[in-house]
Every structure is written in structure tokens, then in C-alpha cells.
């Protein structure tokens, strides 16, 4: 009786496991990601493969490629092409079907398309060439959005930008001193929003003057927005 129960429990789990991994050569990768020149991008990636009959050995090899050129791998001693050496980092865990990769110092020539390849010893290898990602390299960052709220004698200003480089997020600076706080939010799989909020007690000298927010991105590009504090 107990054994039967245990067996049906096991069976249920096996069925569930099969259903949750459809067992196809598929990869979940965005088609295009806009990213700022000079900055970095984290390319989210997960992949799937047909379930093998027996356990696969260790030492899985994962490669990111552009054509036949290898741009990133999980193998730490691999000699990468000089064009990508030190600019890519394999962040994922291949055995957990995670092929997430970081590309830094983005160049105009980094448009791609890039694709992932997995090599599982004594099982199979596969190149996910139908699931490529392209980088839409943006030359200049758009200005941040800047909003200001004045109540009584206090000003609260918020400056926000979106970016693709969570490891080295943008740095904000304000033309007026005050208390600065910052927060970050993930907008989707590859896009983050960084917000800087400045608050200060107003003095008469603050009015009819520019209040500027400057944003410095990874790689050195800057962008700015400006507003004039109005007297009421
Ligand atoms: C894949 O790995 C990255 C980097 O470690 C991590 O941020 C991400 O959450 C992982 N994705 C999944 C689906 O587990
Ligand atoms: C400044 O921020 C405002 C509010 O977010 C926005 O509407 C405006 O377009 C920005 N200025 C520039 C120059 O883009
Ligand atoms: C703020 O921006 C305005 C308009 O772009 C500029 O004229 C002014 O010099 C800037 N002020 C500071 C302190 O950066």
C-alpha cells in the first residue's frame, strides 16, 4: 500500500518534470536589445535541450558566437578573440540552462547577431542559430526625464534614465546641493531604470535659476536635462 502510494507520487513527479521541460532545442533570448555605445549590456539567456536517457557528464561547454567567432565561454582558460577578450563575461550557469552573458565597452561593430552553442560531453551539441540576439548600438543617450515638485519651502526633483548595464549603473550629479537618494528598478529582462531624487529647502536665490541633472554612463557618455525653478 505504502509502496504503491510512493510509486504514484514518483510517477506524478516524473510526468510533471517532463511537462515543465518540453525537451526541445530552444533558447529564450531577446531578438534585439538597444544599448549605449561604450556601456555594457547583460544579455539574458536560457536554453533547453531534449532530455537524455541518462545523466550527462560534467564539463559542459557553452559558447557565444558571432558567425564562427567565439566571443564568450564558460571555460575560464579559453583564449578569446582579441576583439572580445576582456569585454565579455559569461554570467550564466550552463548546467542550469542559463547562458546569460555580459558585453562591456560596446562598439559600433557589436551589432551581432550573436547566438549560443552548448556542448554536452557524450551527449549532444547544438547551436541555437534560430535564436539570435542583435544589439542596436545607440550613439548618444537620450536626455533624462526631469520632474520637479515645489511645496511650501521644499523642492523635490527627480531625474531618471533607463539603461542596460546593471553592473555599472549611471551616475547622477545635480547643479544644486541637497539630500540625494537613488533607486533602481528592473523594467524588463534587459532594461533597468535608475532614479536620483534631490530634495532641498528653498532659498530665494534658488528661483529663476537652472536646476540641472547630469547623467554619466558607463563608458563616459553624458546627458543632461535642465529646468528653471519658478517663483509662485
Ligand atoms: C541567469 O543568470 C543570471 C546571472 O547570474 C541571473 O541574474 C539570472 O537571474 C539567471 N536567470 C534565470 C532564469 O535563472
Ligand atoms: C526633460 O524632462 C522632461 C520631463 O521628464 C521631458 O519632458 C523633457 O523632454 C526633457 N528635456 C529634454 C531636453 O529632453
Ligand atoms: C544648467 O543648464 C543650463 C542650460 O543648459 C546652462 O545654461 C547652465 O550653465 C547649467 N548650469 C550649471 C550649474 O551647470
Amino acid at each position: 500500500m505504502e509502496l504503491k502510494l510512493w510509486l504514484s507520487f514518483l510517477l506524478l513527479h516524473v510526468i510533471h518534470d517532463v511537462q515543465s521541460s518540453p525537451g526541445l532545442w530552444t533558447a529564450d533570448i531577446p531578438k534585439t536589445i538597444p544599448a549605449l555605445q561604450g556601456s555594457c549590456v547583460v544579455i539574458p539567456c536560457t536554453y533547453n535541450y531534449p532530455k537524455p536517457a541518462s545523466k550527462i557528464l560534467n564539463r559542459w561547454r557553452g559558447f557565444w558566437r558571432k558567425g564562427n567567432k567565439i566571443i564568450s565561454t564558460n571555460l575560464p582558460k579559453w583564449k578569446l578573440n582579441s576583439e572580445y577578450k576582456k569585454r565579455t563575461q559569461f554570467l550564466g550557469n550552463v548546467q542550469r540552462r542559463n547562458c546569460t552573458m555580459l558585453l562591456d565597452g560596446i562598439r559600433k561593430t557589436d551589432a551581432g547577431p550573436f547566438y549560443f552553442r552548448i556542448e554536452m560531453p557524450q551527449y549532444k551539441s547544438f547551436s541555437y542559430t534560430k535564436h539570435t540576439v542583435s544589439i542596436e548600438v545607440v550613439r548618444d543617450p537620450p536626455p533624462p526625464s526631469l520632474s520637479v515638485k515645489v511645496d511650501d519651502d521644499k523642492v523635490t526633483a527627480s531625474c531618471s534614465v533607463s539603461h542596460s548595464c546593471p553592473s555599472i549603473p549611471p551616475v547622477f550629479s545635480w547643479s544644486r546641493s541637497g539630500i540625494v537618494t537613488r533607486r533602481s528598478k528592473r523594467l524588463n529582462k534587459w532594461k533597468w531604470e535608475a532614479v536620483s531624487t534631490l530634495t532641498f529647502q528653498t532659498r530665494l536665490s534658488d528661483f529663476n535659476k537652472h536646476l540641472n541633472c547630469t547623467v554619466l554612463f558607463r563608458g563616459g557618455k553624458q546627458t543632461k536635462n535642465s529646468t528653471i525653478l519658478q517663483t509662485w
Side-chain angles (χ1 to χ4, degrees), residues 42 44-46 91-93 96-101 186:
V42 173
C45 172
T46 57
L91 300 177
N93 180 325
R96 290 195 184 134
R97 301 177 201 181
N98 188 331
C99 37
T100 302
M101 176 189 76
R186 191 175 194 155

Side-chain angles (χ1 to χ4, degrees), residues 101-121:
M101 176 189 76
L102 177 126
L103 173 63
D104 193 15
I106 295 169
R107 301 173 184 171
K108 267 188 286 189
T109 47
D110 284 341
F114 306 108
Y115 65 91
F116 181 64
R117 173 179 171 82
I118 187 72
E119 296 181 3
M120 296 175 267

Side-chain angles (χ1 to χ4, degrees), residues 23 25 47 49-53 56 60-61 117-128:
W25 295 105
Y47 70 97
Y49 51 87
K51 216 180 173 75
I56 312 175
W60 295 21
R61 295 144 56 106
R117 173 179 171 82
I118 187 72
E119 296 181 3
M120 296 175 267
Q122 288 166 41
Y123 181 49
K124 284 171 180 167
S125 297
F126 192 81
S127 295
Y128 296 86

